[in-house]
């Protein structure tokens, strides 16, 4: 009897581990897919260091807020100004690390025109924007503080043109990869792990694109050619108990779906194997367009 109980517990644990490793969320049926179809951990890992990418706003980081940046932008300058009557007052930054605004988005678009930023504007002033501003200041004989004062902003405006709507808000933060040959016929969600983008294609023509992220090392997103098995506009994973809006299931419990965590944290997080999308409006339109049976290609 004791031996039977031990065997039962062992089988239960193995089943739970298999479910956690192979499914992003609950499946409509009891089928969770086979762990043998999962890709290698090294192929699917997504880390902040491997991001191509953007000044994503960290979630829950007080130092990322405008108020925090305002209080910490130039502590040495403010201290010297207050402690010495003869000290020159510090120049107030127009924009600085931690700011989040439409003016920052414009700054980033102008820096991209100057070839000082290679990623799309996000509106958040992070390390990549700071580095680009420092580079501009150094090239133009300005104090390389990394913050944008009135003189720096005027100089940047003078050397660039007013950004267009497409420059301010391009289709994706990441540059879309060349489609896999398997994406060139029919109706396909063409998903590149290398560029971390999803392209909705019909007969070889790209209809829309969006940024995506994948599973972690322990819960990798499977690669290959699949079909959309079923869809759910509102769904909650019964394995991980997380919302999965606009879910389009293509491989067992793995689905393309909206992720509020991806929208908030960017590539500092990962999914449980699903393909996360952070642009809810775009995914809503895609959800309406995609039909059960449409092809899904996930590739490097």
């Amino acid at each position: 009897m004791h031996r039977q109980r031990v065997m039962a517990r062992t089988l239960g644990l193995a089943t739970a581990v298999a479910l956690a490793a192979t499914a992003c969320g609950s499946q409509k049926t009891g089928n969770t897919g086979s762990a043998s179809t999962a890709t290698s951990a090294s192929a699917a890992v997504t880390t902040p260091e491997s991001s191509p990418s953007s000044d994503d706003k960290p979630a829950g980081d007080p130092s990322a807020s405008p108020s925090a940046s305002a209080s910490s932008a130039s502590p040495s300058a403010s201290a010297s100004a207050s402690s010495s009557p003869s000290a020159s007052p510090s120049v107030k930054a127009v924009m600085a690390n931690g700011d989040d605004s439409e003016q920052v988005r414009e700054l980033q678009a102008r820096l991209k025109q100057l070839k000082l930023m290679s990623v799309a504007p996000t509106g958040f002033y992070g390390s990549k924007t700071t580095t680009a501003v420092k580079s501009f200041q150094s090239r133009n004989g300005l104090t390389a503080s990394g913050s944008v004062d009135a003189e720096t902003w005027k100089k940047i405006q003078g050397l660039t043109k007013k950004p267009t709507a497409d420059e301010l808000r391009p289709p994706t933060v990441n540059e879309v990869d060349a489609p896999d040959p398997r994406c060139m016929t029919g109706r396909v969600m063409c998903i590149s792990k290398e560029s971390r983008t999803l392209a909705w294609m019909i007969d070889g023509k790209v209809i829309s694109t969006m940024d995506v992220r994948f599973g972690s090392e322990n819960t990798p997103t499977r690669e290959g050619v699949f079909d959309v098995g079923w869809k759910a506009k509102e769904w909650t994973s019964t394995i991980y108990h997380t919302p999965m809006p606009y879910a389009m299931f293509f491989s067992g419990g793995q689905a393309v779906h909206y992720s509020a965590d991806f929208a908030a944290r960017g590539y500092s997080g990962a999914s449980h194997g699903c393909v996360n999308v952070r642009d809810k409006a775009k995914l809503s339109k895609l959800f309406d367009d995609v039909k059960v049976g449409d092809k899904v290609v996930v590739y490097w």
Side-chain angles (χ1 to χ4, degrees), residues 36-232:
S36 63
T37 61
T39 58
S40 65
S42 60
V45 63
T46 303
T47 64
E49 291 77 18
S50 64
S51 173
S53 106
S54 61
D55 282 357
D56 283 314
K57 184 175 181 179
D61 182 0
S63 65
S65 66
S67 60
S69 65
S71 64
S72 60
S74 54
S76 59
S78 59
S80 60
S82 61
S83 62
S84 174
S86 60
S88 300
S90 60
V91 177
K92 180 177 173 60
V94 176
M95 288 169 275
N97 194 305
D99 287 349
D100 189 0
S101 69
E102 287 304 300
Q103 189 179 24
V104 171
R105 186 181 294 277
E106 181 182 343
L107 166 67
Q108 292 167 333
R110 289 180 183 272
L111 289 170
K112 193 168 184 182
Q113 290 178 18
L114 295 168
K115 311 297 184 186
L116 292 174
M117 288 192 76
S118 59
V119 298
T122 63
F124 178 68
Y125 200 124
S127 59
K128 289 179 174 59
T129 305
T130 300
T131 299
V133 169
K134 281 184 177 180
S135 180
F136 176 84
Q137 291 168 327
S138 296
R139 293 182 186 184
N140 290 275
L142 303 169
T143 302
S145 65
S147 298
V148 179
D149 56 21
E151 184 180 7
T152 299
W153 185 226
K154 183 177 180 180
K155 188 77 171 177
I156 290 173
Q157 288 176 307
L159 294 173
T160 57
K161 61 180 178 65
K162 184 175 179 61
T164 65
D166 284 344
E167 286 178 312
L168 290 170
R169 286 181 169 80
T172 59
V173 172
N174 300 328
E175 185 176 350
V176 179
D177 200 6
D180 185 278
R182 296 169 293 180
C183 299
M184 301 308 292
T185 57
R187 298 163 56 86
V188 192
M189 284 194 283
C190 193
I191 302 168
S192 169
K193 282 189 170 182
E194 183 172 3
S195 66
R196 293 192 284 194
T197 55
L198 182 157
W200 169 233
M201 302 179 64
I202 299 178
D203 295 330
K205 181 181 178 182
V206 176
I207 307 301
S208 64
T209 59
M210 55 202 75
D211 296 316
V212 294
R213 79 177 179 184
F214 304 99
S216 66
E217 180 179 356
N218 295 324
T219 55
T221 303
R222 291 183 280 273
E223 298 161 28
V225 180
F226 312 93
D227 292 328
V228 175
W230 61 284
K231 300 164 51 179

